[in-house]
Amino acid sequence: MGGGTFASNYANVGFMDREVFLNVYDLTSFNNYSIWFGFGVFHTGIEVYGMEYGFGAHDYSISGVFEVEPRSCPGFIYRCSISLGHIDMSASEFREFIETMASEYHGNTYHLICKNCNHFTDDISHRLHCKRIPGWVNRLAKFGALFSCLLPDSLESTTIKHMPEYYHAYEDEMSDSGSNSSSREGLEHEVVDHKVLISPTRTAEIALIREIAR
């Protein structure tokens, strides 16, 4: 009986680990008013296996996908978490999945209206066969053609937007060491590897995800 109870509890813990959450953040206090009308300006991240994954902007053609402690993404105000379902893959399989996704979401492709953090989380949830994110989360982007001229430029900035100096630092370091990459693509992937391993962003509590080719 005791062994069966332990096995059951262990299975339940594993099932909980595989639960997928959408963590929603406010980008502006204006959301406190606009939410009553069914829209707002939100950042979202996908939480699974004890970490949260989001998408942000920078100026380089490399991964803009980052990981952070759940419900604590710097620069935003946590609002709520929404369960989207459960996944069938292991932690290592999910890691490979998110690294593959990173190859499709480079920082320099981020766009507030067309390809933002909410498009990213909705795409992940869809590919994991979970629920799509609620419509109100990204409704403002859907009305982008009407509202884009009214949105302040500051809303384009994200957590990663403030980190370009690290890319320059690693490029300079590699150049000084006499590294001669055969292509710009090779250099960019090398920068990503250093970025994740050394993780200078720990002070900002985030780290970029290393991308792998599809």
Side-chain angles (χ1 to χ4, degrees):
M1 179 68 70
T5 301
F6 176 82
S8 177
N9 290 339
Y10 183 83
N12 288 335
V13 170
F15 186 69
M16 292 173 62
D17 285 344
R18 297 197 304 271
E19 187 167 8
V20 178
F21 290 98
L22 179 75
N23 293 333
V24 184
Y25 300 81
D26 291 322
L27 269 72
T28 170
S29 59
F30 177 70
N31 286 356
N32 293 326
Y33 305 98
S34 64
I35 192 66
W36 295 102
F37 299 96
F39 71 93
V41 186
F42 302 101
H43 167 78
T44 58
I46 287 287
E47 178 185 347
V48 62
Y49 280 116
M51 289 298 293
E52 179 178 317
Y53 303 88
F55 172 52
H58 56 65
D59 298 327
Y60 297 82
S61 182
I62 54 178
S63 170
V65 178
F66 63 91
E67 62 182 351
V68 64
E69 290 294 323
R71 301 175 295 283
S72 61
C73 190
F76 306 123
I77 303 171
Y78 172 73
R79 171 174 283 271
C80 65
S81 295
I82 301 168
S83 178
L84 299 177
H86 295 80
I87 59 174
D88 294 327
M89 62 181 64
S90 66
S92 60
E93 290 172 334
F94 177 78
R95 187 68 184 188
E96 182 177 352
F97 165 81
I98 199 68
E99 289 177 349
T100 301
M101 288 286 292
S103 68
E104 300 180 28
Y105 284 86
H106 287 176
N108 65 344
T109 66
Y110 181 98
H111 191 279
L112 183 64
I113 303 302
C114 303
K115 191 176 183 180
N116 63 35
C117 57
N118 303 319
H119 293 111
F120 169 74
T121 54
D122 188 57
D123 189 17
I124 284 186
S125 186
H126 175 65
R127 297 194 196 193
L128 292 175
H129 306 292
C130 293
K131 299 176 184 176
R132 306 303 288 259
I133 69 173
W136 55 266
V137 171
N138 209 29
R139 186 162 290 146
L140 194 60
K142 296 177 181 178
F143 296 154
L146 177 63
F147 288 103
S148 61
C149 60
L150 304 177
L151 297 176
D153 292 339
S154 60
L155 292 181
E156 285 275 10
S157 67
T158 67
T159 305
I160 295 184
K161 192 70 173 180
H162 305 288
M163 297 159 39
E165 65 274 11
Y166 293 116
Y167 295 94
H168 290 301
Y170 284 120
E171 286 181 328
D172 292 342
E173 178 182 334
M174 293 171 66
S175 177
D176 292 341
S177 66
S179 174
N180 296 315
S181 299
S182 60
S183 67
R184 174 66 179 174
E185 180 180 359
L187 173 61
E188 290 170 344
H189 284 288
E190 188 71 16
V191 171
V192 174
D193 289 339
H194 281 284
K195 181 72 172 178
V196 174
L197 290 174
I198 301 177
S199 190
T201 61
R202 289 302 180 189
T203 55
E205 301 176 356
I206 67 174
L208 287 179
I209 295 295
R210 177 182 65 87
E211 64 177 86
I212 58 176
R214 291 178 60 84

